[in-house]
Amino acid sequence: MSLLKIPLILSSAVAVHVALTPPHAPSKSEVVHDTFNEWVIIQHVRYGLPISKIVYWGISLAEIALIMSRMTDLKTLPSVVQSTIGPFLPRIQDVPITRPFILGTALVASAGYLRWSCFRTLGHFFTFELTARKGHQLVTSGPYSIVRHPSYAAAILQYIGVAVLHGSATSWVRQSGVLDLPGVKLVLLAWLLERTITVTSLVRRINQEEEVVKSMFGDEWQRWANAVRYRIIPGIY
């Protein structure tokens, strides 16, 4: 298996890590959480994000370890490593670089970069919780000059990218046999369910978020909404 796959695997893992890491933590008094949907998102921020990152890094590092193991004589490794991974290696197969792998990696990495760009553009005003922060300003530059909710667009794009990267018929997760290992399928299904609920909750939050921002900035928000007509997808929605 080509070592070229390793930096591509790492690029998607880093992109997911960046996208799921809150850039700023608001105080309790700044958080708006008067709906059940917002409560779901807050629980996701507290508990779901750390678990999601651990699961994704686990998948990525497991495949990297497999690639490296094929190029290393296990007998040269410490006995504890041999006893830990040795029994599983014959059950897990190599999977080459495929078109869905390249496409999924590109989508995940691009979405991670877009989320990071949103973090930088909003600065300390960007929080994963819906907040009304002291000195809040309406930011309309950068990605916010294209659509009104580019960070949500990036979250959806990354969700699709992960589905293509790890859910396609030729993906390492589905082709290698790793799903046959005890507990792996259950963990991945739980992770997929959590990510689906989160992305759905973010889309449902848009109306509430716009009402909050509109109440804070009034005519300024209306002028921005007239200039930037679309919420997530330019020309569509």
Side-chain angles (χ1 to χ4, degrees), residues 9 13 131 144 150 153 177 192 200 208 210 224 228:
I9 295 170
T131 58
Y144 293 89
L192 178 61
T200 303
Q208 182 190 9
E210 293 210 331
W224 174 54
V228 182

mmCIF file with all atom_site columns, all heavy atoms in Angstrom, residues 9 13 131 144 150 153 177 192 200 208 210 224 228:
data_model
loop_
_atom_site.group_PDB
_atom_site.id
_atom_site.type_symbol
_atom_site.label_atom_id
_atom_site.label_alt_id
_atom_site.label_comp_id
_atom_site.label_asym_id
_atom_site.label_entity_id
_atom_site.label_seq_id
_atom_site.pdbx_PDB_ins_code
_atom_site.Cartn_x
_atom_site.Cartn_y
_atom_site.Cartn_z
_atom_site.occupancy
_atom_site.B_iso_or_equiv
_atom_site.pdbx_formal_charge
_atom_site.auth_seq_id
_atom_site.auth_comp_id
_atom_site.auth_asym_id
_atom_site.auth_atom_id
_atom_site.pdbx_PDB_model_num
ATOM 1   N N   . ILE A 1 9   ? -5.011  10.662 4.824  1.00 0.00 ? 9   ILE A N   1
ATOM 2   C CA  . ILE A 1 9   ? -5.792  10.267 6.001  1.00 0.00 ? 9   ILE A CA  1
ATOM 3   C C   . ILE A 1 9   ? -5.657  11.310 7.099  1.00 0.00 ? 9   ILE A C   1
ATOM 4   O O   . ILE A 1 9   ? -6.643  11.721 7.734  1.00 0.00 ? 9   ILE A O   1
ATOM 5   C CB  . ILE A 1 9   ? -5.342  8.887  6.510  1.00 0.00 ? 9   ILE A CB  1
ATOM 6   C CG1 . ILE A 1 9   ? -5.646  7.806  5.484  1.00 0.00 ? 9   ILE A CG1 1
ATOM 7   C CG2 . ILE A 1 9   ? -6.014  8.548  7.842  1.00 0.00 ? 9   ILE A CG2 1
ATOM 8   C CD1 . ILE A 1 9   ? -5.019  6.457  5.803  1.00 0.00 ? 9   ILE A CD1 1
ATOM 9   N N   . ALA A 1 13  ? -8.452  13.858 9.097  1.00 0.00 ? 13  ALA A N   1
ATOM 10  C CA  . ALA A 1 13  ? -8.568  13.811 10.552 1.00 0.00 ? 13  ALA A CA  1
ATOM 11  C C   . ALA A 1 13  ? -8.337  15.193 11.166 1.00 0.00 ? 13  ALA A C   1
ATOM 12  O O   . ALA A 1 13  ? -9.068  15.621 12.068 1.00 0.00 ? 13  ALA A O   1
ATOM 13  C CB  . ALA A 1 13  ? -7.576  12.804 11.128 1.00 0.00 ? 13  ALA A CB  1
ATOM 14  N N   . THR A 1 131 ? -25.287 32.493 21.099 1.00 0.00 ? 131 THR A N   1
ATOM 15  C CA  . THR A 1 131 ? -24.981 33.465 22.148 1.00 0.00 ? 131 THR A CA  1
ATOM 16  C C   . THR A 1 131 ? -25.249 34.892 21.701 1.00 0.00 ? 131 THR A C   1
ATOM 17  O O   . THR A 1 131 ? -25.263 35.209 20.518 1.00 0.00 ? 131 THR A O   1
ATOM 18  C CB  . THR A 1 131 ? -23.501 33.366 22.570 1.00 0.00 ? 131 THR A CB  1
ATOM 19  O OG1 . THR A 1 131 ? -22.667 33.584 21.412 1.00 0.00 ? 131 THR A OG1 1
ATOM 20  C CG2 . THR A 1 131 ? -23.178 32.021 23.179 1.00 0.00 ? 131 THR A CG2 1
ATOM 21  N N   . TYR A 1 144 ? -19.017 35.250 5.027  1.00 0.00 ? 144 TYR A N   1
ATOM 22  C CA  . TYR A 1 144 ? -20.341 35.778 5.357  1.00 0.00 ? 144 TYR A CA  1
ATOM 23  C C   . TYR A 1 144 ? -20.842 36.779 4.321  1.00 0.00 ? 144 TYR A C   1
ATOM 24  O O   . TYR A 1 144 ? -21.973 37.263 4.433  1.00 0.00 ? 144 TYR A O   1
ATOM 25  C CB  . TYR A 1 144 ? -20.316 36.414 6.748  1.00 0.00 ? 144 TYR A CB  1
ATOM 26  C CG  . TYR A 1 144 ? -20.097 35.391 7.823  1.00 0.00 ? 144 TYR A CG  1
ATOM 27  C CD1 . TYR A 1 144 ? -18.804 35.049 8.224  1.00 0.00 ? 144 TYR A CD1 1
ATOM 28  C CD2 . TYR A 1 144 ? -21.160 34.719 8.410  1.00 0.00 ? 144 TYR A CD2 1
ATOM 29  C CE1 . TYR A 1 144 ? -18.591 34.087 9.188  1.00 0.00 ? 144 TYR A CE1 1
ATOM 30  C CE2 . TYR A 1 144 ? -20.955 33.742 9.370  1.00 0.00 ? 144 TYR A CE2 1
ATOM 31  C CZ  . TYR A 1 144 ? -19.661 33.430 9.754  1.00 0.00 ? 144 TYR A CZ  1
ATOM 32  O OH  . TYR A 1 144 ? -19.457 32.465 10.706 1.00 0.00 ? 144 TYR A OH  1
ATOM 33  N N   . PRO A 1 150 ? -22.233 30.307 6.562  1.00 0.00 ? 150 PRO A N   1
ATOM 34  C CA  . PRO A 1 150 ? -21.206 29.471 5.925  1.00 0.00 ? 150 PRO A CA  1
ATOM 35  C C   . PRO A 1 150 ? -20.671 28.367 6.830  1.00 0.00 ? 150 PRO A C   1
ATOM 36  O O   . PRO A 1 150 ? -20.260 27.315 6.332  1.00 0.00 ? 150 PRO A O   1
ATOM 37  C CB  . PRO A 1 150 ? -20.106 30.482 5.576  1.00 0.00 ? 150 PRO A CB  1
ATOM 38  C CG  . PRO A 1 150 ? -20.310 31.611 6.531  1.00 0.00 ? 150 PRO A CG  1
ATOM 39  C CD  . PRO A 1 150 ? -21.787 31.700 6.725  1.00 0.00 ? 150 PRO A CD  1
ATOM 40  N N   . ALA A 1 153 ? -22.939 25.535 6.392  1.00 0.00 ? 153 ALA A N   1
ATOM 41  C CA  . ALA A 1 153 ? -22.680 24.946 5.076  1.00 0.00 ? 153 ALA A CA  1
ATOM 42  C C   . ALA A 1 153 ? -21.471 24.026 5.147  1.00 0.00 ? 153 ALA A C   1
ATOM 43  O O   . ALA A 1 153 ? -21.468 22.927 4.576  1.00 0.00 ? 153 ALA A O   1
ATOM 44  C CB  . ALA A 1 153 ? -22.460 26.057 4.043  1.00 0.00 ? 153 ALA A CB  1
ATOM 45  N N   . GLY A 1 177 ? -12.634 -5.203 6.615  1.00 0.00 ? 177 GLY A N   1
ATOM 46  C CA  . GLY A 1 177 ? -13.015 -6.225 7.593  1.00 0.00 ? 177 GLY A CA  1
ATOM 47  C C   . GLY A 1 177 ? -12.995 -5.708 9.012  1.00 0.00 ? 177 GLY A C   1
ATOM 48  O O   . GLY A 1 177 ? -13.302 -6.447 9.953  1.00 0.00 ? 177 GLY A O   1
ATOM 49  N N   . LEU A 1 192 ? -22.397 7.743  13.921 1.00 0.00 ? 192 LEU A N   1
ATOM 50  C CA  . LEU A 1 192 ? -23.145 8.230  12.766 1.00 0.00 ? 192 LEU A CA  1
ATOM 51  C C   . LEU A 1 192 ? -24.475 8.840  13.200 1.00 0.00 ? 192 LEU A C   1
ATOM 52  O O   . LEU A 1 192 ? -24.885 9.897  12.697 1.00 0.00 ? 192 LEU A O   1
ATOM 53  C CB  . LEU A 1 192 ? -23.384 7.090  11.779 1.00 0.00 ? 192 LEU A CB  1
ATOM 54  C CG  . LEU A 1 192 ? -24.214 7.438  10.532 1.00 0.00 ? 192 LEU A CG  1
ATOM 55  C CD1 . LEU A 1 192 ? -23.524 8.510  9.705  1.00 0.00 ? 192 LEU A CD1 1
ATOM 56  C CD2 . LEU A 1 192 ? -24.456 6.183  9.697  1.00 0.00 ? 192 LEU A CD2 1
ATOM 57  N N   . THR A 1 200 ? -28.677 17.873 11.707 1.00 0.00 ? 200 THR A N   1
ATOM 58  C CA  . THR A 1 200 ? -30.103 18.214 11.602 1.00 0.00 ? 200 THR A CA  1
ATOM 59  C C   . THR A 1 200 ? -30.469 19.336 12.558 1.00 0.00 ? 200 THR A C   1
ATOM 60  O O   . THR A 1 200 ? -31.208 20.268 12.196 1.00 0.00 ? 200 THR A O   1
ATOM 61  C CB  . THR A 1 200 ? -30.961 16.971 11.891 1.00 0.00 ? 200 THR A CB  1
ATOM 62  O OG1 . THR A 1 200 ? -30.617 15.918 10.991 1.00 0.00 ? 200 THR A OG1 1
ATOM 63  C CG2 . THR A 1 200 ? -32.441 17.299 11.732 1.00 0.00 ? 200 THR A CG2 1
ATOM 64  N N   . GLN A 1 208 ? -34.038 30.307 14.380 1.00 0.00 ? 208 GLN A N   1
ATOM 65  C CA  . GLN A 1 208 ? -33.881 30.913 15.694 1.00 0.00 ? 208 GLN A CA  1
ATOM 66  C C   . GLN A 1 208 ? -32.685 31.852 15.729 1.00 0.00 ? 208 GLN A C   1
ATOM 67  O O   . GLN A 1 208 ? -32.753 32.962 16.270 1.00 0.00 ? 208 GLN A O   1
ATOM 68  C CB  . GLN A 1 208 ? -33.725 29.838 16.769 1.00 0.00 ? 208 GLN A CB  1
ATOM 69  C CG  . GLN A 1 208 ? -33.614 30.429 18.177 1.00 0.00 ? 208 GLN A CG  1
ATOM 70  C CD  . GLN A 1 208 ? -33.210 29.403 19.224 1.00 0.00 ? 208 GLN A CD  1
ATOM 71  O OE1 . GLN A 1 208 ? -32.850 28.277 18.879 1.00 0.00 ? 208 GLN A OE1 1
ATOM 72  N NE2 . GLN A 1 208 ? -33.265 29.794 20.477 1.00 0.00 ? 208 GLN A NE2 1
ATOM 73  N N   . GLU A 1 210 ? -31.322 33.479 13.265 1.00 0.00 ? 210 GLU A N   1
ATOM 74  C CA  . GLU A 1 210 ? -31.586 34.696 12.508 1.00 0.00 ? 210 GLU A CA  1
ATOM 75  C C   . GLU A 1 210 ? -32.499 35.644 13.274 1.00 0.00 ? 210 GLU A C   1
ATOM 76  O O   . GLU A 1 210 ? -32.331 36.872 13.204 1.00 0.00 ? 210 GLU A O   1
ATOM 77  C CB  . GLU A 1 210 ? -32.176 34.347 11.142 1.00 0.00 ? 210 GLU A CB  1
ATOM 78  C CG  . GLU A 1 210 ? -31.184 33.621 10.243 1.00 0.00 ? 210 GLU A CG  1
ATOM 79  C CD  . GLU A 1 210 ? -31.407 33.879 8.769  1.00 0.00 ? 210 GLU A CD  1
ATOM 80  O OE1 . GLU A 1 210 ? -32.570 34.135 8.381  1.00 0.00 ? 210 GLU A OE1 1
ATOM 81  O OE2 . GLU A 1 210 ? -30.421 33.838 8.004  1.00 0.00 ? 210 GLU A OE2 1
ATOM 82  N N   . TRP A 1 224 ? -28.070 43.497 5.295  1.00 0.00 ? 224 TRP A N   1
ATOM 83  C CA  . TRP A 1 224 ? -27.177 42.368 4.991  1.00 0.00 ? 224 TRP A CA  1
ATOM 84  C C   . TRP A 1 224 ? -27.950 41.214 4.375  1.00 0.00 ? 224 TRP A C   1
ATOM 85  O O   . TRP A 1 224 ? -27.517 40.606 3.392  1.00 0.00 ? 224 TRP A O   1
ATOM 86  C CB  . TRP A 1 224 ? -26.463 41.930 6.268  1.00 0.00 ? 224 TRP A CB  1
ATOM 87  C CG  . TRP A 1 224 ? -25.633 40.702 6.135  1.00 0.00 ? 224 TRP A CG  1
ATOM 88  C CD1 . TRP A 1 224 ? -24.642 40.484 5.219  1.00 0.00 ? 224 TRP A CD1 1
ATOM 89  C CD2 . TRP A 1 224 ? -25.698 39.512 6.935  1.00 0.00 ? 224 TRP A CD2 1
ATOM 90  N NE1 . TRP A 1 224 ? -24.084 39.237 5.409  1.00 0.00 ? 224 TRP A NE1 1
ATOM 91  C CE2 . TRP A 1 224 ? -24.713 38.626 6.463  1.00 0.00 ? 224 TRP A CE2 1
ATOM 92  C CE3 . TRP A 1 224 ? -26.487 39.137 8.022  1.00 0.00 ? 224 TRP A CE3 1
ATOM 93  C CZ2 . TRP A 1 224 ? -24.507 37.376 7.024  1.00 0.00 ? 224 TRP A CZ2 1
ATOM 94  C CZ3 . TRP A 1 224 ? -26.276 37.896 8.592  1.00 0.00 ? 224 TRP A CZ3 1
ATOM 95  C CH2 . TRP A 1 224 ? -25.298 37.027 8.092  1.00 0.00 ? 224 TRP A CH2 1
ATOM 96  N N   . VAL A 1 228 ? -27.091 39.592 0.949  1.00 0.00 ? 228 VAL A N   1
ATOM 97  C CA  . VAL A 1 228 ? -26.687 38.181 0.957  1.00 0.00 ? 228 VAL A CA  1
ATOM 98  C C   . VAL A 1 228 ? -27.963 37.362 1.127  1.00 0.00 ? 228 VAL A C   1
ATOM 99  O O   . VAL A 1 228 ? -28.399 37.082 2.247  1.00 0.00 ? 228 VAL A O   1
ATOM 100 C CB  . VAL A 1 228 ? -25.679 37.890 2.088  1.00 0.00 ? 228 VAL A CB  1
ATOM 101 C CG1 . VAL A 1 228 ? -25.226 36.433 2.039  1.00 0.00 ? 228 VAL A CG1 1
ATOM 102 C CG2 . VAL A 1 228 ? -24.475 38.817 1.976  1.00 0.00 ? 228 VAL A CG2 1
#
